[in-house]
Amino acid sequence: METTVSEATDTTTTAVRSRKAQKKAQKGSEESATVNEQQSPSMETAVNVRHHKLKSDEPEKRSSAEAISERNGAFEEGDDRFSISIRLQFNAATVGLFLLSFLTRFYRITHPRGVVFDEIHFGKFVSLYLKNTFYFDQHPPLGKLMIAGAAGAVGYSGSFEFPKIGSEYDASVPILALRFVPALCGSLLAPIVYSILRQVKLGQGVSILGGLLIILDNALLTHSRFILMESMLLYFAALGILTVLKFLQAHPFSARWWTLGTIASASLTAAVCVKFVGFYSYLLAMYIIGRHVWMELPDRRRSNASILLKVITKSLLILGVSITVYIGCFYLHFATLYKAGPHDNVMTSAFQASLEGGLASITKGQPLRVQHGSQITLKHTHGRVCWLHSHTHVYPIKYKDGRGSSHQQQVTCYGFKDVNNWWIVKRPNKDSLMVDDEPDYIEHGDVIQLVHGVTSRALNSHDVASPMSPLCQEVSCYIDYNISMPANLLWRVELLNGKESKNKWHAITSQVRLVHVNTTAALKYTGEQLPDWGYNQFEVAADRRQQTIDTIWNVEEHRYTQHKDKKDVLNKLLATEMIPTEPTKLSFWNKFSELQLKMLLHADKLESHMYSSEPHEWPLMDKGIAYWIDGDSNAQVHLLGNLVIWYSATMAIVLYVAFLVFYLIRRRREIYDLEPVEWDRFRLGGEIFLAGYLIHYLPYFFMERTLFLYNYLPALLFKVMLLCFVVDHCQLALRKFVKQSTLVIGIFRAIVVAWFSGVLYFFQRYSVLSYGTTALSADDVLELRLKDTWDLIVHKP
């Protein structure tokens, strides 16, 4: 076992060399190792040291290590005999941190034997995977896929329904298997944090401290023990940052370079595939790589061509791996979920029709092409699921704001299938509503009327303001009140994907925009909910701004009108079968692109929740989240972090910024308190950890959706590492600037030991809220409540 700086974690290095090259390089191995150690400091120090020492712009002579490398390369090209060696290195610190973390995460992991908080959602998704039933979630599927894989491996069939929080798991549910992957990822996080700190050249003691702080944070412990996504998100993000740092230190185009670059790209993309917020870690990694390239530019030893080649190669490698992993994740997702399920109606009609047991019977048993006399339902294609709807009720004469309406028949968008969703397509020059003996198909650009199937009134619009969206015009079904308000019933059909159907209007697949001929406004779902007079259905209006996704509709159900008697037509509509049985085909790329759009459009809306919190409340942990409570006692799982860690890490941010401002002012006065290497390392730590914290934290201030304390965990990860960096730098500052530094450093370390004792005490005291295994009295719960805003539950006296 080794404790070297550069090999801080378990690594696998594959080296391919020719045997002749090994013999040639043997004499210069010691010199090569020394030179390489000096020339591969963290990120940018080599370039900056050279910048401070050189007084001219002349290129330096190439080192003997580079010459040896070139000779080795020449031998590799000329010799086709290769040997492969695999070298495994284990670090005692990383193994110890993993084992300690593993014990804390897996201790009584099957308790509680009931649904905990968001297990109600993710558990359902896992069950649907195992039943091959389609579901919709606004986040990518990798985390759920991994948990489903573990549960499926032990034979779980997905029979449990996860009905509500606190519901007891039955004997068929493999609780350990369902919680295994999050717990394993949570166990691996501490050694990865240790390795990251070693990569930025922190001492081993401070790096071990960083791993211990990850282990001893109660919030990270809690989220690692249940069917939740955050531990996997943090694991992949941290692994990606670690391998990026190693990737930038590897020799370009070597086997190690390619391997680390691939692992880094795959890990960072995997974080995105667990939750979209993993993109922030991806963005941080791209910043680190871009910064590294920028710091290499002053090195005159490298030609423009070589730098450009390396940048292009890095870009292609990262993009290629990222695209492959992301698309591959969704390919597996669609291959697994091929049956219709409870979330199908979120997707378009074409998507639903591709699922087994979905809308396929409609496409099988109904006519494809829309023509005069077609009975159709028009579904809002993107965004909220609803159908164009009308009923006998009319708009009120006046709205609350005093504006008047047309008092015409209401037209809305209704979120349930209903007989009032049916419309009949009519040519303006024909009186009959039945299909003719000779088909009269509707094509792109044709002008039609839409007649409501039940009330027989035609779809109309006019220059009257819409009730909820005054900038749009009202849409109604026309009633002739004989008050000089003429009917404007003509609509032009615009097929947005007409090339696929040769400009023919098809059911299910054709996406159509209906443009009002008289006013050039497009039929639009506005997203506004109508008051009680509109039965809280959604507003439909006509908008002259046509180019929005809310003006896109598609025909879902379709059949021909062949009954002359109106009662027969109504009975036909009421008897319509709406549950199809056989699938049709939709390509992977069509499914993939549609699901990406739906995930973006179906972001959480801003809602109130008793345990929601705001970003400004997170750094000082003003509010937690109740996850589970025992029905027979006050034993409970409540999300709270380690207060000592969270507060001291927040102070570390302030202290780092103070150090930075102090040094910058001093350097502006040409007083250089730190050596070039020390200054570069100080900047590097801040640009990774402080930037990582801000990138993962600040965006939440601009999100209009319900937020919870667990959204802060990725930012907390970087804040903890910044805390360790500040502790290490304080020791450096005391050693450099304080007289009798030995005594002062001794006092400082005693303070750190006392502070760490506080960390241990808080972890032990509040671990009862992470494990939920200890029965608590009402007094015990009140003693744990250090803040009035902590909503700990007192279930029994």
Side-chain angles (χ1 to χ4, degrees):
M1 292 186 290
E2 299 180 14
T3 57
T4 61
V5 171
S6 60
E7 297 293 333
T9 57
D10 303 350
T11 58
T12 303
T13 305
T14 305
V16 182
R17 295 181 177 175
S18 68
R19 296 176 181 176
K20 291 182 180 180
Q22 290 178 354
K23 292 179 180 179
K24 273 280 189 181
Q26 187 173 6
K27 294 181 180 180
S29 60
E30 293 184 3
E31 180 183 3
S32 174
T34 303
V35 173
N36 283 335
E37 184 176 350
Q38 293 173 350
Q39 291 191 353
S40 59
S42 175
M43 301 284 288
E44 80 285 11
T45 53
V47 175
N48 286 334
V49 170
R50 185 183 63 82
H51 175 73
H52 286 289
K53 290 184 178 180
L54 291 180
K55 296 183 179 179
S56 68
D57 290 335
E58 295 180 3
E60 295 181 337
K61 294 182 179 179
R62 286 180 293 182
S63 66
S64 59
E66 291 175 342
I68 290 172
S69 178
E70 286 188 9
R71 290 198 299 271
N72 286 345
F75 280 115
E76 287 173 4
E77 291 179 0
D79 195 339
D80 57 355
R81 293 179 301 166
F82 294 94
S83 63
I84 299 177
S85 63
I86 299 177
R87 185 160 51 97
L88 297 178
Q89 295 185 337
F90 295 96
N91 182 282
T94 57
V95 173
L97 288 170
F98 170 74
L99 291 177
L100 180 59
S101 187
F102 186 89
L103 290 174
T104 59
R105 270 60 183 167
F106 279 87
Y107 171 71
R108 297 191 65 178
I109 194 171
T110 58
H111 180 86
R113 297 191 60 84
V115 180
V116 176
F117 192 56
D118 274 350
E119 284 188 338
I120 191 173
H121 302 300
F122 299 123
K124 284 180 180 178
F125 296 153
V126 169
S127 295
L128 291 172
Y129 269 123
L130 297 173
K131 293 187 288 188
N132 306 114
T133 302
F134 180 80
Y135 73 87
F136 175 81
D137 184 29
Q138 65 176 9
H139 289 291
L142 180 59
K144 283 85 73 176
L145 273 170
M146 293 172 62
I147 297 174
V154 297
Y156 177 54
S157 63
S159 57
F160 190 73
E161 297 295 332
F162 295 85
K164 63 180 181 178
I165 297 175
S167 298
E168 290 292 322
Y169 290 121
D170 58 41
S172 67
V173 180
I175 304 176
L176 174 60
L178 287 169
R179 295 173 178 173
F180 177 81
V181 174
L184 179 62
C185 290
S187 302
L188 291 168
L189 186 59
I192 291 176
V193 166
Y194 164 85
S195 301
I196 292 174
L197 295 175
R198 293 294 274 162
Q199 283 298 307
V200 296
K201 308 305 181 187
L202 294 193
Q204 189 172 51
V206 175
S207 300
I208 292 174
L209 174 65
L212 290 174
L213 293 180
I214 296 299
I215 295 172
L216 298 174
D217 183 74
N218 302 73
L220 294 176
L221 170 64
T222 302
H223 255 265
S224 298
R225 290 176 45 81
F226 304 111
I227 311 172
L228 304 171
M229 299 293 108
E230 270 63 31
S231 64
M232 290 179 280
L233 169 67
L234 295 178
Y235 164 72
F236 284 121
L239 179 62
I241 297 299
L242 172 63
T243 47
V244 161
L245 295 175
K246 288 178 172 288
F247 170 63
L248 295 177
Q249 295 181 27
H251 190 277
F253 308 111
S254 64
R256 176 180 172 82
W257 188 84
W258 288 104
T259 302
L260 289 172
T262 301
I263 294 174
S265 303
S267 299
L268 292 166
T269 310
V272 179
C273 290
V274 173
K275 274 192 168 184
F276 274 131
V277 292
F279 176 72
Y280 298 141
S281 299
Y282 197 99
L283 189 63
L284 174 64
M286 295 305 103
Y287 163 73
I288 294 172
I289 293 173
R291 180 186 184 281
H292 179 74
V293 172
W294 181 257
M295 299 307 296
E296 280 187 332
L297 292 181
D299 189 353
R300 300 293 291 275
R301 295 173 300 174
R302 294 177 173 87
S303 67
N304 295 339
S306 66
I307 292 177
L308 183 61
L309 175 63
K310 192 160 76 168
V311 169
I312 293 175
T313 306
K314 281 182 182 178
S315 301
L316 293 177
L317 173 64
I318 293 170
L319 287 176
V321 173
S322 297
I323 292 172
T324 301
V325 170
Y326 190 79
I327 293 177
C329 178
F330 280 94
Y331 185 86
L332 183 59
H333 177 71
F334 290 133
T336 306
L337 305 181
Y338 55 84
K339 296 180 180 179
H343 300 162
D344 297 355
N345 60 1
V346 174
M347 310 305 292
T348 63
S349 303
F351 193 106
Q352 293 178 65
S354 70
L355 299 173
E356 183 179 304
L359 289 177
S361 68
I362 292 179
T363 59
K364 178 183 177 182
Q366 72 182 18
L368 175 65
R369 293 187 59 179
V370 178
Q371 63 168 307
H372 169 80
S374 288
Q375 297 174 21
I376 63 173
T377 62
L378 279 171
K379 182 183 179 183
H380 179 232
T381 302
H382 301 296
R384 176 175 287 275
V385 177
C386 58
W387 290 264
L388 188 67
H389 177 94
S390 187
H391 39 237
T392 56
H393 304 281
V394 296
Y395 291 110
I397 298 175
K398 284 194 174 183
Y399 303 122
K400 283 186 177 181
D401 59 5
R403 292 184 297 114
S405 78
S406 65
H407 202 49
Q408 300 276 321
Q409 180 172 305
Q410 296 175 17
V411 173
T412 65
C413 206
Y414 188 47
F416 301 92
K417 294 194 174 185
D418 186 272
V419 67
N420 282 315
N421 297 347
W422 286 87
W423 302 79
I424 301 174
V425 178
K426 178 182 179 298
R427 290 282 193 186
N429 58 348
K430 294 185 177 181
D431 294 328
S432 171
L433 295 179
M434 295 183 296
V435 295
D436 298 329
D437 294 334
E438 292 294 329
D440 186 4
Y441 296 124
I442 308 299
E443 300 184 0
H444 174 76
D446 285 356
V447 175
I448 63 167
Q449 294 176 344
L450 285 176
V451 179
H452 189 237
V454 175
T455 64
S456 298
R457 290 177 176 144
L459 189 69
N460 175 76
S461 187
H462 38 220
D463 192 15
V464 174
S466 188
M468 309 303 295
S469 305
L471 296 179
C472 299
Q473 61 193 40
E474 181 188 270
V475 172
S476 62
C477 280
Y478 183 73
I479 301 174
D480 187 3
Y481 289 122
N482 194 22
I483 54 172
S484 302
M485 181 177 284
N488 296 320
L489 311 178
L490 302 180
W491 300 84
R492 185 173 64 256
V493 175
E494 293 186 358
L495 301 179
L496 305 183
N497 56 345
K499 290 183 179 179
E500 299 175 8
S501 60
K502 298 181 180 178
N503 285 332
K504 314 295 184 185
W505 191 4
H506 287 178
I508 302 291
T509 58
S510 291
Q511 296 184 6
V512 61
R513 179 175 287 129
L514 295 173
V515 179
H516 191 237
V517 172
N518 297 79
T519 61
T520 69
L523 187 71
K524 177 183 178 181
Y525 159 82
T526 67
E528 300 292 335
Q529 196 165 11
L530 297 171
D532 292 341
W533 56 258
Y535 300 94
N536 301 117
Q537 297 173 16
F538 288 91
E539 180 188 46
V540 170
D543 194 346
R544 287 184 171 85
R545 298 167 296 180
Q546 301 177 10
Q547 308 301 319
T548 70
I549 59 173
D550 285 324
T551 61
I552 301 175
W553 305 79
N554 67 271
V555 172
E556 183 171 88
E557 300 180 70
H558 178 216
R559 44 198 44 85
Y560 291 150
T561 304
Q562 296 175 329
H563 300 270
K564 293 183 180 180
D565 186 78
K566 183 176 182 295
K567 181 180 290 188
D568 290 339
V569 174
L570 179 59
N571 291 336
K572 180 74 173 179
L573 294 178
L574 290 171
T576 298
E577 173 62 48
M578 295 184 181
I579 305 177
T581 56
E582 296 183 8
T584 55
K585 292 183 179 180
L586 192 68
S587 72
F588 164 77
W589 294 110
N590 287 336
K591 286 185 175 182
F592 176 77
S593 58
E594 179 179 332
L595 186 57
Q596 301 309 302
L597 180 61
K598 293 290 185 180
M599 287 192 295
L600 294 174
L601 292 176
H602 278 76
D604 287 343
K605 303 298 182 184
L606 183 62
E607 299 175 359
S608 60
H609 191 284
M610 65 180 300
Y611 289 107
S612 63
S613 54
E614 296 299 323
H616 68 270
E617 299 176 294
W618 298 341
L620 299 181
M621 202 168 59
D622 289 336
K623 198 170 185 179
I625 310 173
Y627 276 16
W628 173 86
I629 186 167
D630 187 3
D632 299 324
S633 71
N634 291 319
Q636 58 190 282
V637 176
H638 199 98
L639 183 69
L640 287 173
N642 191 311
L643 198 69
V644 180
I645 296 175
W646 286 47
Y647 275 57
S648 54
T650 301
M651 291 175 60
I653 294 174
V654 177
L655 192 55
Y656 180 87
V657 173
F659 270 125
L660 180 61
V661 172
F662 173 77
Y663 289 141
L664 288 175
I665 292 174
R666 298 269 290 174
R667 293 174 75 86
R668 189 65 177 171
R669 298 287 296 168
E670 298 186 357
I671 302 173
Y672 301 99
D673 299 299
L674 300 178
E675 296 296 329
V677 174
E678 295 170 342
W679 171 244
D680 290 335
R681 187 164 71 93
F682 178 78
R683 286 196 311 159
L684 174 66
E687 290 176 358
I688 294 176
F689 303 138
L690 181 59
Y693 173 76
L694 296 176
I695 288 172
H696 287 82
Y697 178 48
L698 294 181
Y700 287 104
F701 284 94
F702 306 98
M703 291 185 182
E704 293 185 357
R705 64 182 180 90
T706 307
L707 298 172
F708 297 90
L709 184 63
Y710 61 74
N711 294 122
Y712 189 61
L713 295 182
L716 174 68
L717 176 66
F718 289 93
K719 189 165 78 165
V720 169
M721 289 190 282
L722 182 63
L723 169 62
C724 297
F725 189 86
V726 169
V727 170
D728 183 80
H729 188 74
C730 284
Q731 293 187 89
L732 172 66
L734 292 173
R735 191 177 296 112
K736 287 180 68 71
F737 307 126
V738 177
K739 294 179 180 180
Q740 298 180 340
S741 60
T742 303
L743 175 61
V744 175
I745 289 177
I747 296 173
F748 175 76
R749 289 179 177 175
I751 294 173
V752 171
V753 170
W755 163 80
F756 186 72
S757 299
V759 171
L760 288 172
Y761 171 77
F762 194 97
F763 174 78
Q764 181 274 331
R765 178 169 173 77
Y766 283 83
S767 62
V768 296
L769 299 180
S770 297
Y771 292 111
T773 57
T774 305
L776 302 171
S777 67
D779 291 337
D780 292 334
V781 175
L782 293 176
E783 286 180 6
L784 291 172
R785 187 181 177 190
L786 296 183
K787 290 188 173 187
D788 293 338
T789 53
W790 288 6
D791 297 325
L792 302 181
I793 299 175
V794 178
H795 186 67
K796 298 244 180 195

